[in-house]
């Protein structure tokens, strides 16, 4: 169930039996010469939508702009400040809490979001505790990166071995091509595997990683690989979501 394609009556009826919601969250940032700028939002969005169909779970609109300041030296990248992103996440969760949602499963597509998401969760919990609001009803915010899990890691290793890298990976590029095959841009790279390293701000990032890749070779990406990664990720995330729900019922 997509929240944006539901009526308020649909949501009211849903909440009678289920107070959980999956919130895809990603980023709008460069992903190398052949990766889509929307990669980090596309991946969790399509995975979440499939899980929503299978499990009849409410799926929130994707939060598609994240913490991506280090990519701003590449055209098309957009960022929120960490403080702005924390405010956005708090407002989204608090809005949904007003209606009766209590359990918020954030399906994340961007590693750069993790620290800010975690901080936002701490702010949400602190506000609730300090105001002594609705103490009889607990809430929980949960973070899961779509690429987590032994099965997904094993498949990425099988497909791309040490060319997977850390950014503009062939796994995420392949997954987006499965979602949007018309946008696939196969190409070769020199060097095939990009350098690894650390970075600080946007200027530093572009100096160290001039084509945007980190340790990866997205020249290995394919629509066929994307289909396998998608199916594996959907199964893994669906299982993780169900385990999370089952554990909540025990508390």
């Amino acid at each position: 169930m997509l929240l944006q394609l539901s009526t308020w009556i649909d949501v009211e009826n849903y909440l009678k039996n289920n107070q959980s919601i999956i919130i895809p969250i990603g980023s709008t940032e460069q992903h190398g010469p052949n990766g889509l700028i929307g990669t980090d939002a596309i991946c969790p969005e399509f995975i979440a939508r499939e899980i929503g169909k299978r499990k009849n779970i409410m799926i929130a609109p994707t939060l598609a702009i994240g913490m991506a300041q280090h990519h701003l030296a590449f055209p098309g990248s957009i960022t929120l400040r960490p403080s702005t992103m924390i405010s956005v996440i708090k407002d989204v969760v608090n809005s949904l809490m007003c209606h009766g949602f209590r359990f918020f499963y954030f399906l994340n597509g961007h590693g750069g979001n993790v620290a800010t998401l975690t901080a936002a969760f701490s702010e949400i919990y602190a506000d609730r505790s300090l105001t002594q609001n609705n103490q009889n009803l607990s809430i929980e915010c949960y973070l899961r990166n779509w690429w987590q899990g032994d099965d997904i890691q094993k498949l990425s290793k099988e497909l791309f071995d040490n060319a997977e890298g850390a950014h503009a990976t062939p796994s995420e590029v392949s997954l987006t091509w499965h979602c949007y095959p018309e946008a696939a841009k196969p190409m070769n790279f020199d060097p095939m595997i990009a350098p690894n390293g650390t970075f600080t701000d946007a200027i530093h990032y572009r100096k160290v990683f001039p084509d945007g890749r980190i340790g990866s070779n997205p020249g290995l990406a394919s629509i066929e690989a994307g289909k396998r990664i998608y199916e594996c990720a959907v199964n893994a995330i669906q299982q993780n979501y169900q385990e999370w729900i089952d554990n909540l019922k025990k508390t």
Side-chain angles (χ1 to χ4, degrees):
M1 299 177 64
L2 298 181
L3 181 67
Q4 64 265 42
L5 297 183
S6 303
T7 68
W8 70 263
I9 296 174
D10 295 332
V11 178
E12 188 170 72
N13 288 332
Y14 173 86
L15 284 165
K16 292 175 182 177
N17 300 303
N18 195 334
Q19 291 79 50
S20 69
I21 187 168
I22 297 177
I23 305 173
I25 184 167
S27 184
T28 299
E29 63 185 51
Q30 68 82 22
H31 273 76
N34 69 340
L36 304 180
I37 287 174
T39 291
D40 286 347
I42 293 167
C43 292
E45 178 175 273
F46 273 74
I47 293 167
R49 287 187 175 198
E50 180 60 25
I51 294 170
K53 290 178 186 176
R54 293 185 184 184
K55 304 282 291 182
N56 198 33
I57 302 300
M58 188 68 72
I59 309 298
T62 301
L63 303 181
I65 300 176
M67 212 299 290
Q69 61 80 16
H70 46 287
H71 293 290
L72 287 181
F74 296 87
S77 298
I78 304 173
T79 194
L80 298 177
R81 294 176 181 272
S83 55
T84 304
M85 186 174 168
I86 288 171
S87 294
V88 169
I89 294 165
K90 287 178 61 180
D91 285 352
V92 168
V93 169
N94 285 327
S95 295
L96 292 168
M97 276 198 295
C98 287
H99 314 304
F101 286 98
R102 295 172 54 204
F103 309 117
F104 306 91
Y105 186 103
F106 282 81
L107 184 57
N108 180 46
H110 175 48
N113 285 343
V114 171
T116 305
L117 269 166
T118 303
F121 294 172
S122 295
E123 289 277 0
I124 291 165
Y125 295 145
D127 286 348
R128 194 168 175 84
S129 297
L130 288 166
T131 59
Q132 298 290 307
N133 185 30
N134 293 322
Q135 291 298 304
N136 59 320
L137 293 175
S138 62
I139 67 162
E140 181 162 334
C141 298
Y142 182 85
L143 169 61
R144 179 75 174 192
N145 300 315
W146 74 261
W147 63 86
Q148 279 181 264
D150 292 340
D151 289 345
I152 300 174
Q153 294 293 317
K154 182 179 178 181
L155 179 57
S156 294
K157 180 72 173 177
E158 172 195 330
L159 291 169
F160 308 118
D161 199 18
N162 65 338
E164 173 70 358
H167 183 68
T169 70
S171 288
E172 61 185 348
V173 172
S174 293
L175 178 49
T176 62
W177 291 2
H178 167 68
C179 300
Y180 292 103
E182 70 279 7
K185 295 179 174 64
M187 63 176 63
N188 296 317
F189 291 93
D190 185 18
M192 286 192 297
I193 297 179
N196 282 294
T198 59
F199 55 85
T200 53
D201 61 11
I203 295 173
H204 185 216
Y205 186 109
R206 180 120 192 203
K207 285 181 178 178
V208 179
F209 311 109
D211 69 358
R213 300 177 294 145
I214 302 179
S216 65
N217 179 13
L220 299 176
S222 71
I223 295 171
E224 295 75 21
K227 183 175 186 294
R228 293 182 63 188
I229 293 164
Y230 170 78
E231 292 171 349
C232 182
V234 168
N235 290 333
I237 298 301
Q238 179 176 304
Q239 179 179 345
N240 178 258
Y241 170 84
Q242 190 59 54
E243 290 172 352
W244 176 66
I245 290 294
D246 292 342
N247 285 332
L248 288 174
K249 291 177 181 178
K250 297 176 184 177
T251 60

